[in-house]
Amino acid sequence: MSHKFLRIESPAWVAEGLITEAQRQLLLARYPPDAVPAVGLLPLLGSLLVALSALSVVAANWAALPPVARLALLLSSLVGSYAGGHYFMQRGNRTLGRGLVGLGLVLFGVSIILVSQTYQLVGYDASGLLAWVVAGVALAYAHRSRMLAALTVLIGAAVQTYCTQALGSFSYATAALLAGGLGYLWWRRPDGLLSTVLSAGLLWQAALWVGVSHAKITWFFIPAMVVYAAGDWQPDRHAGRNAQAPPLIAAYLFALGLALFGETDAYAGLLRPPVLAYLGALAAVLALSVAGKKQRGRLDTLPDWLLLLPGFYLPGGLPLAIATLVVLYAHAGSVLVRAHRAGDADQLTLGTVLFVGATMVAYFKLTWAFLDKSLFFLLGGVLLLGLSWYLRRRNARVLAAAGAPGPAAKPTE
């Protein structure tokens, strides 16, 4: 609850007799004005700008420096960053301290690259860069910092991209360090932002694995849904849902692609892996996810799996397009139902956007050939109004049975 909200709303509560003036003052004292977050970041941003300025000067004169001077400069910058970070953290300025440690981590990777160039060290694997990821994971654990963990996810993405694009191989050690090392940190210290960053980073690793192994792109969803299932098992619901957002976005975009381009069987043919192997792996991940939902009491989110229905095994063309649209409508309807039950305005908005999006796809892709365009808008509107009427009636019955007064009408409804 924010101080601004209390300051605006609480006088009306006093006037209506809900609380006394003394209680209002206690609430205002309990929730003081929010501090401006940017103020705490100013030292960190300042140190980064100074470091970038120094790096620019060094880069401009790098070629003129003797190798020994280059090595000394790199080592002194590295030690200075870590020592400065430790100094400020010992004195309670943890934001600036962790920022300097993060700068030291970046300089560590830069040092690996520059030393290799300076002494013309040729490497045919990613063992040198892997040390960069190991250092990032170790620092994230040592300082229990989500910023350092997020930075390590980005470093892991860069290292894996280099491995797949320059070396033509996938670094399983890098992926394992991110999934196991940072994944365990996320499990023990759940955080919303780190959940999203780590989940997106693991999906990037999965995408690179699919690309370098020349597998069907649908195999991407096996590791992606493993990440989703991990969110089901996470005791912190907020962190779990944040981790599930990137896989769900990827699955939704994939379903949209099927609806838009599934009319051509050639496109659908690119998506079909061996049936038994793919469906077996997907069923195993589904079972893991359902077990987690049941364990944490989150079976209401089971319709998320509608997006993973393997409709691409259907014949390409109209049947596939229609089946995909039915899935999109069913998924949007499940989000709306869940939002109404939970009274979550944000989820209600999301469900409405998904529903309108499915209707727009149907309008632009299918109605050209077999239906009048206005008819699909009409069907979409009738379905949305019907769902709204049903949910309102259900809520009224529940409230009447409980003997409670009906909820006040909301402006957004």
Side-chain angles (χ1 to χ4, degrees):
M1 187 175 291
S2 70
H3 181 85
K4 182 179 179 182
F5 175 79
L6 279 176
R7 184 167 46 82
I8 295 174
E9 297 292 334
S10 58
W13 301 348
V14 175
E16 294 172 5
L18 298 176
I19 59 174
T20 64
E21 178 60 27
Q23 291 171 330
R24 188 178 86 89
Q25 295 299 329
L26 287 175
L27 285 172
L28 289 173
R30 186 182 183 88
Y31 299 96
D34 298 332
V36 182
V39 172
L41 295 176
L42 288 179
L44 174 61
L45 295 176
S47 64
L48 286 176
L49 290 176
V50 171
L52 288 175
S53 173
L55 285 175
S56 300
V57 172
V58 172
N61 301 280
W62 185 256
L65 295 174
V68 175
R70 297 178 190 177
L71 186 61
L73 185 60
L74 289 172
L75 288 176
S76 60
S77 301
L78 194 60
V79 173
S81 298
Y82 286 133
H86 181 73
Y87 172 82
F88 283 107
M89 278 192 285
Q90 288 295 317
R91 279 151 183 78
N93 195 341
R94 303 185 71 82
T95 301
L96 179 57
R98 286 172 176 168
L100 289 174
V101 171
L103 179 62
L105 179 60
V106 173
L107 289 174
F108 178 66
V110 172
S111 299
I112 293 174
I113 298 171
L114 292 180
V115 167
S116 300
Q117 291 179 348
T118 301
Y119 294 97
Q120 299 180 347
L121 302 175
V122 180
Y124 297 99
D125 56 33
S127 55
L129 293 176
L130 184 61
W132 196 6
V133 182
V134 172
V137 174
L139 286 174
Y141 271 93
H143 296 283
R144 301 180 182 277
S145 167
R146 66 176 183 178
M147 185 275 287
L148 291 174
L151 180 60
T152 305
V153 172
L154 297 178
I155 291 172
V159 170
Q160 196 66 268
T161 303
Y162 173 79
C163 289
T164 55
Q165 302 302 314
L167 304 177
S169 62
F170 185 82
S171 173
Y172 290 94
T174 299
L177 278 170
L178 295 184
L182 296 184
Y184 184 71
L185 181 65
W186 163 78
W187 181 266
R188 297 298 303 270
R189 300 175 61 85
D191 176 81
L193 177 62
L194 178 59
S195 300
T196 305
V197 173
L198 180 59
S199 176
L202 292 176
L203 262 58
W204 179 249
Q205 300 279 329
L208 292 174
W209 169 74
V210 169
V212 77
S213 59
H214 304 289
K216 300 284 187 182
I217 62 174
T218 37
W219 281 112
F220 164 81
F221 289 103
I222 300 301
M225 295 313 287
V226 170
V227 175
Y228 174 91
D232 285 325
W233 284 93
Q234 169 59 253
D236 187 304
R237 186 180 179 91
H238 177 66
R241 288 304 285 174
N242 279 16
Q244 290 174 333
L248 285 178
I249 292 173
Y252 188 81
L253 293 177
F254 177 73
L256 272 184
L258 269 183
L260 291 171
F261 306 109
E263 298 173 67
T264 59
D265 196 57
Y267 173 75
L270 298 174
L271 309 175
R272 295 171 182 146
V275 179
L276 291 179
Y278 182 77
L279 293 186
L282 194 63
V285 181
L286 173 61
L288 179 67
S289 173
V290 171
K293 291 180 187 296
K294 188 175 181 181
Q295 177 73 20
R296 305 297 182 195
R298 302 169 188 168
L299 284 174
D300 59 322
T301 58
L302 188 59
D304 289 345
W305 276 88
L306 286 172
L307 296 173
L308 274 298
L309 288 175
F312 44 83
Y313 285 114
L314 293 173
L318 197 57
L320 177 56
I322 291 179
T324 308
L325 279 172
V326 170
V327 167
L328 291 176
Y329 273 122
H331 176 256
S334 70
V335 174
L336 285 171
V337 170
R338 192 164 66 233
H340 268 279
R341 286 177 176 171
D344 190 330
D346 293 336
Q347 286 292 313
L348 189 62
T349 303
L350 174 63
T352 305
V353 170
L354 294 177
F355 199 94
V356 173
T359 304
M360 294 300 293
V361 171
Y363 176 76
F364 286 111
K365 289 303 298 181
L366 299 182
T367 56
W368 296 96
F370 67 96
L371 276 179
D372 182 76
K373 300 169 189 171
S374 61
L375 183 57
F376 234 110
F377 274 131
L378 178 62
L379 288 174
V382 168
L383 286 172
L384 204 56
L385 290 171
L387 181 62
S388 174
W389 172 81
Y390 168 75
L391 292 172
R392 284 177 179 277
R393 185 177 180 185
R394 180 179 173 280
N395 286 342
R397 285 180 175 176
V398 171
L399 290 172
K410 297 180 180 179
T412 54
E413 297 176 354

